[in-house]
Amino acid sequence: MMCNWVGFYVPCSGINPLKSNPSIHSREGHMQTQLIVNLFGPMGTAHLADLLALIQQQQCHALDSHMLAFEQRMVLALRISGNWDRVTRAESVLREFAQRAGLDMHIHHEQKIAEREAVLPYVVDAIGLASADIAAVITRFFAQQKVGMRELSTRTYRPARSSERLIQMRAQIDIPARCHLGQFKSDFFDLCDNLNLDAARSRRMSESIKGSAVPSFTGTTTEGDQINETTYSGKWLVLYFYPRDNTPGCTTEAQDFQRLLPSFDEVNAVIVGVSNDDQASHARFCAKQGLTFPLIADTEQTVSRAFDVIREKKMYGKTFEGIERSTFLISPDGHVHAVWRKVKVPGHAEAVLATIREAGQS
């Protein structure tokens, strides 16, 4: 059996646990309600398209969706978010839809989002000869390591020109940020070795975070405000990391974002800068350059490591750790829409703005 370890993102070792705000705010500033919907019955692709259109018409967001077909029947799980009145209307519309389509439906309300521990999301893929206990053994290992599981899917099949049945498993897991990542990986591959599994250790791709939920983070701005991954829910968030205040490239980049700030406002986007400078340095930088968007003082590098932008650098014969200039575009529903690493400053702010506009037209 072969196991592939594929990371959404891999923070550097030594990441500190981050605190996250348990509430999710809409652009109006009210706490949003979440609706967990499970549907089962004779559904097809057309039904799914109609269902998602109904949710959008009620001005709600389908944060997560999972679909699985069994012969002529389909199982669908949705997590919907929106203001209380919009979610209430959506629930009524969904019940009518389910009744017309002859579907079984169960709905659960979540008005208070439980506080989450900072986690590192990963995907584990495994494939090999079909065995009834493969999923059980691996999930038991995750449970013993206190690793959360967001998604688990298994599929058995017989390849062409083969009499052996194979099983394919994919698990999306959340590794606690307090966990020693290197040790966890080592223990996982030891498990594979003990089970006579051929574990292939794949390397992280630089943009593997793209498309995944934004990593949990908390940062303090120049004004002392706390910003986390839910602060700007309902808006585009341009989170850009830069090496140091008042250096030529960083100054130009900040000036470019400031110059285009009215255009970003027009597309419902906010700008937040992050560096490892302290609040006093940020205050001087903002005053000198006339910056009106917030800067996070990431002196402990917790936010920087959560987004995997800390790199080893060399200057004047000395080696040190610092930020690699990077930008992350977070969608209004809290997913990483685009990633720019090793950013070249000229034209970068314009490119980010163009990406948001293009997304709005699609």
Side-chain angles (χ1 to χ4, degrees):
M1 179 175 177
M2 178 180 67
C3 288
N4 292 322
W5 183 277
V6 184
F8 280 174
Y9 73 98
V10 183
C12 301
S13 60
I15 182 171
N16 295 320
L18 308 177
K19 296 180 180 179
S20 61
N21 191 326
S23 62
I24 293 182
H25 298 273
S26 69
R27 69 186 66 179
E28 293 85 6
H30 301 297
M31 187 173 72
Q32 293 190 323
T33 297
Q34 292 196 2
L35 206 63
I36 311 300
V37 182
N38 292 297
L39 290 159
F40 176 74
M43 287 188 290
T45 305
H47 289 94
L48 180 59
D50 292 341
L51 186 65
L52 295 176
L54 287 174
I55 294 171
Q56 188 175 23
Q57 289 169 9
Q58 305 308 313
Q59 296 182 299
C60 293
H61 299 288
L63 300 181
D64 297 293
S65 61
H66 300 279
M67 181 194 74
L68 185 62
F70 290 104
E71 300 298 337
Q72 301 301 316
R73 294 183 177 272
M74 184 182 295
V75 179
L76 177 64
L78 292 167
R79 183 163 66 98
I80 302 169
S81 176
N83 290 341
W84 182 86
D85 56 338
R86 294 174 181 174
V87 168
T88 300
R89 291 197 303 269
E91 179 180 359
S92 177
V93 169
L94 290 175
R95 290 190 184 279
E96 293 176 1
F97 174 86
Q99 186 174 9
R100 289 196 308 269
L103 306 175
D104 294 329
M105 183 173 72
H106 298 278
I107 291 181
H108 176 71
H109 287 264
E110 285 284 352
Q111 286 195 328
K112 184 177 181 180
I113 310 303
E115 185 172 354
R116 298 176 299 164
E117 180 183 14
V119 295
L120 314 178
Y122 272 82
V123 169
V124 175
D125 286 313
I127 185 171
L129 293 177
S131 173
D133 65 345
I134 287 178
V137 171
I138 293 179
T139 53
R140 186 175 297 113
F141 167 79
F142 292 151
Q144 292 170 346
Q145 298 290 327
K146 301 188 184 305
V147 167
M149 186 173 295
R150 288 175 180 251
E151 182 179 341
L152 173 67
S153 62
T154 60
R155 182 175 71 94
T156 58
Y157 64 99
R158 180 177 287 111
R161 297 184 296 277
S162 174
S163 60
E164 300 285 354
R165 293 189 66 82
L166 300 182
I167 184 170
Q168 183 177 14
M169 187 196 81
R170 164 163 286 202
Q172 182 177 337
I173 60 176
D174 287 336
I175 304 175
R178 56 179 167 75
C179 175
H180 190 289
L181 187 59
Q183 185 62 53
F184 178 82
K185 282 188 176 183
S186 177
D187 291 344
F188 174 76
F189 289 122
D190 285 345
L191 172 67
C192 293
D193 291 340
N194 291 336
L195 296 174
N196 293 319
L197 307 179
D198 180 17
R201 295 144 172 85
S202 65
R203 301 183 66 180
R204 178 189 63 86
M205 295 179 63
S206 63
E207 294 192 7
S208 57
I209 189 176
K210 183 177 177 180
S212 65
V214 60
S216 299
F217 72 91
T218 299
T220 304
T221 68
T222 311
E223 293 76 19
D225 297 327
Q226 294 289 307
I227 291 178
N228 61 39
E229 72 277 8
T230 68
T231 301
Y232 298 107
S233 177
K235 292 179 177 288
W236 289 96
L237 169 60
V238 179
L239 191 67
Y240 84 95
F241 293 80
Y242 63 96
R244 192 174 179 182
D245 292 338
N246 289 305
T247 53
C250 299
T251 298
T252 300
E253 186 176 24
Q255 290 173 339
D256 287 347
F257 278 120
Q258 180 65 39
R259 173 173 51 83
L260 293 174
L261 203 56
S263 298
F264 280 103
D265 288 338
E266 291 175 359
V267 294
N268 194 36
V270 295
I271 310 294
V272 176
V274 185
S275 79
N276 300 150
D277 299 294
D278 59 23
Q279 288 178 276
S281 175
H282 279 345
R284 292 191 297 270
F285 187 39
C286 289
K288 183 177 180 180
Q289 302 302 330
L291 306 180
T292 58
F293 54 82
L295 300 178
I296 291 178
D298 189 31
T299 55
E300 300 298 323
Q301 298 185 342
T302 53
V303 182
S304 304
R305 292 188 184 278
F307 284 83
D308 190 25
V309 299
I310 296 297
R311 296 290 183 269
E312 185 178 276
K313 298 183 176 183
K314 292 184 178 180
M315 183 178 292
Y316 304 121
K318 295 183 178 180
T319 301
F320 63 97
E321 286 188 334
I323 287 178
E324 176 184 78
R325 196 183 306 277
S326 307
T327 299
F328 298 82
L329 178 59
I330 314 302
S331 65
D333 63 358
H335 287 76
V336 180
H337 181 80
V339 178
W340 292 265
R341 294 188 184 270
K342 297 183 179 179
V343 167
K344 303 298 182 184
V345 172
H348 174 60
E350 288 82 356
V352 176
L353 179 60
T355 300
I356 298 175
R357 285 174 171 165
E358 182 180 353
Q361 295 172 356
S362 60

